[in-house]
Amino acid sequence: MIYLYTPQDMAAYREALQQALPGKALACWPEEIVASRVEHAVVWNPPAGFFCGMVNLQAVFVLGAGVDRILKRDDLDPAVPVIRLTDAGMAQQMLEYVLYGVLHVQRHMGQYRRQQAQRQWQPVAAATAAQTRIGVLGLGEIGGRVAQSLAAMGYAVAGWSRSGRQLPGVEDFVGEAGLPALLARTDILVNLLPATPATRGLLDGRMLSLLPRGAALINAGRGEQLDEAALLGLLDSGQLRFAMLDVFEVEPLESVHPLWSHPAVLVTPHIAAMTLVTSAVAQIAANLQSLQQGLPPQGLVQRVRGY
């Protein structure tokens, strides 16, 4: 049996899974089930105790790329494989989101918005793509696609990861020693890192201060990687000129949080790369077939790495 939980699009996922896997029994939370009959779970942030009694659970399919919350759970046997989505249409969406932020900075759209409010007509010279230095943190499936696509558009792109990844047109920075060097040559920093113990709090005041004065930040990785108070201070001082934020340490972002009203901040509600039902279910079905054939599935999470 497959047991499904998602706070959004439950009916659409159920229909798609039934069509893709017609021979599999399927139940949706909160339907009553015999927990020991569940062999596979398809979930996004299920409630506490969700996995209790699932003694025959063979794999958990996560409806997204982030798995940090699943790996922290105390009701899931660490021996059960966890499989995340590797793309499912998210890479293209993320590219579009990042490109919007890049163009906002490169073409001075924030400044023009302020001029519009004051009815000012004052053109500002914009940097070319080749003059716009972009640094991408995280070069996995999605980050690698974003970095390569921006490089193909003519931007000066560099990427950073802990183990290194050679990508066409992307300058490679590796490990702890490589991060300060990448920050120093970056006008627009794009964070797409996964949530791991090593990335928590990575973008603190000290690291963000290594960016050139007037740099910008696009954060679509995880909220707990960014020191929000330090960011606000750097924006107020002019060290940073703009931040586009899709993820936050507490979500939804509290209504009283100063990020909402800061003139140099654009807030979006965790929508940079939303899971597409059809693409996600097709990937889950293919991975389930791989497991049944004894083959390694795509997106198998390595717990020691956290992704």
Side-chain angles (χ1 to χ4, degrees):
M1 172 186 284
I2 297 174
Y3 199 35
L4 169 67
Y5 175 85
T6 175
Q8 296 180 330
D9 302 321
M10 183 86 85
Y13 274 109
R14 179 171 199 158
E15 181 180 357
L17 282 166
Q18 287 175 331
Q19 291 179 355
L21 301 165
K24 297 285 290 186
L26 175 67
C28 297
W29 186 90
E31 295 175 14
E32 290 189 10
I33 61 166
V34 178
S36 61
R37 292 184 56 206
V38 176
E39 296 176 326
H40 301 95
V42 178
V43 300
W44 181 252
N45 293 336
F50 179 85
F51 296 106
C52 289
M54 297 185 186
V55 294
N56 293 309
L57 190 62
Q58 298 175 15
V60 175
F61 297 92
V62 180
L63 292 171
V67 295
D68 49 305
R69 295 180 183 177
I70 285 287
L71 298 184
K72 294 175 183 176
R73 297 181 66 104
D74 59 8
D75 60 342
L76 179 62
D77 185 345
V80 175
V82 174
I83 302 166
R84 62 179 177 83
L85 296 179
T86 54
D87 186 349
M90 292 182 286
Q92 178 62 29
Q93 294 179 74
M94 187 64 79
L95 171 60
E96 294 164 356
Y97 183 88
V98 170
L99 182 59
Y100 180 92
V102 167
L103 290 172
H104 182 97
V105 176
Q106 178 193 354
R107 300 302 301 269
H108 302 290
M109 292 302 172
Q111 186 169 344
Y112 289 133
R113 184 66 179 171
R114 293 190 293 274
Q115 289 182 14
Q116 178 180 341
Q118 299 173 8
R119 291 173 169 76
Q120 293 180 347
W121 187 279
Q122 188 175 342
V124 181
T128 65
Q131 294 169 329
T132 304
R133 302 173 299 174
I134 300 173
V136 179
L137 304 182
L139 296 177
E141 185 86 15
I142 294 175
R145 167 80 177 277
V146 169
Q148 287 185 89
S149 297
L150 291 172
M153 296 176 194
Y155 289 98
V157 181
W160 179 83
S161 60
R162 294 198 176 275
S163 56
R165 186 180 180 192
Q166 297 291 328
L167 297 172
V170 179
E171 188 178 0
D172 189 31
F173 290 80
V174 184
E176 292 185 12
L179 183 54
L182 176 130
L183 295 173
R185 53 78 60 207
T186 293
D187 301 313
I188 304 174
L189 181 65
V190 179
N191 178 38
L192 301 177
L193 287 166
T196 69
T199 63
R200 184 175 182 86
L202 181 67
L203 298 179
D204 58 14
R206 182 179 66 86
M207 281 295 179
L208 291 175
S209 295
L210 297 178
L211 291 164
R213 186 170 181 82
L217 170 67
I218 300 172
N219 188 25
R222 284 294 182 268
E224 59 265 27
Q225 295 163 350
L226 174 65
D227 184 334
E228 294 169 355
L231 171 65
L232 285 165
L234 291 168
L235 290 168
D236 288 341
S237 71
Q239 176 64 29
L240 299 182
R241 63 164 160 152
F242 174 71
M244 186 164 80
L245 308 175
D246 189 55
V247 291
F248 305 88
E249 188 161 12
V250 176
E251 295 184 5
L253 184 64
E254 297 171 308
S255 61
V256 296
H257 202 293
L259 286 171
W260 281 113
S261 57
H262 198 287
V265 174
L266 175 58
V267 169
T268 55
H270 207 142
I271 49 77
M274 303 177 73
T275 304
L276 304 178
V277 174
T278 302
S279 300
V281 168
Q283 191 174 133
I284 290 168
N287 276 334
L288 188 55
Q289 184 178 28
S290 294
L291 288 173
Q292 291 171 341
Q293 295 174 350
L295 301 173
Q298 289 189 344
L300 181 63
V301 173
Q302 299 181 39
R303 282 183 173 269
V304 294
R305 297 176 65 181
Y307 58 94

